[in-house]
Amino acid sequence: GRDELGFLVRSFNEMTRRLARAHDAASESQRQAEEQRAYLEAVLACLSSGVLTLDDEATLHTVNSAAEQILGLEIGPSPDLSLAELQARYPQLEPLVETITKQFDHKHGTWQAEVVLFGPNGRQVLICRGSPLQGGGNAQGEHVIVFDDVTTLIQAQRDAAWGEVARRLAHEIQNPLTPIQLSAERLRHKYLNTMPSEDAEVLDRSTHTIVQQVESMKEMVKAFSDYARPPKLQPVSYTHLRA
């Protein structure tokens, strides 16, 4: 009807419909947020790079599994630790904490730095990159730090450089060895039987020493060449692996 009771019923029904629409919208937003969170967690879990997120107070909010593995942490994905607490628990991370703190103090935007750590596994080199997140103050933190362990890469580069040095040394040493050996053998063959016994003994001993030392240097050259040569592949049949 059109009386006051009818107006009240219509208003109540309209309010109920609005509440239902608001509830549906809130449920949809929550569902999308949960999907985005699950998606982000899946991405972070699959990354080989370490990822940390911190707020403006330098409190650690998120740590992915790669970061825990690289840094040797056991703090879980949502630790809520300050950097000071992290350093107190893991003293070997002091260089990393100092680098992050310095960037926070100077209010830098995007930054990159190399950090060297000394932990239970020896020397470790990290390449760190940091950047503020858009929309500060969210639950994920306001700064993200991504880092990679490049220790193995640097070691491989050094090994390759030393391999090149070894190859060049082997080449430079090997060049005069054969002429030296041939010259000593020619001297021995040409003059040994024509000299007095005393002089012949000296020549024999000297040329023998030269040839012997040349052979020793050839062994050293071979060792340098083997070091510079890439390792040989050793294929194994699939049936052998299954057996």
Side-chain angles (χ1 to χ4, degrees), residues 12 21 50 58 67 98 110 115 125 147 156 158 168 185 203 212:
F12 180 80
R21 288 195 295 268
E98 289 182 352
T110 301
V115 178
V125 182
F147 57 89
R158 289 178 178 175
R168 294 185 180 183
E185 292 174 348
L203 179 62
Q212 187 178 27

Side-chain angles (χ1 to χ4, degrees), residues 158-203:
R158 289 178 178 175
D159 290 343
W162 278 113
E164 179 64 17
V165 171
R167 186 188 66 80
R168 294 185 180 183
L169 281 176
H171 179 74
E172 295 298 329
I173 294 173
Q174 189 175 14
N175 282 340
L177 290 183
T178 300
I180 291 173
Q181 184 175 1
L182 291 176
S183 297
E185 292 174 348
R186 287 172 183 171
L187 288 173
R188 178 189 179 88
H189 179 74
K190 184 174 183 179
Y191 296 108
L192 186 63
N193 296 327
T194 62
M195 300 175 66
S197 59
E198 185 177 349
D199 294 337
E201 183 181 354
V202 173
L203 179 62

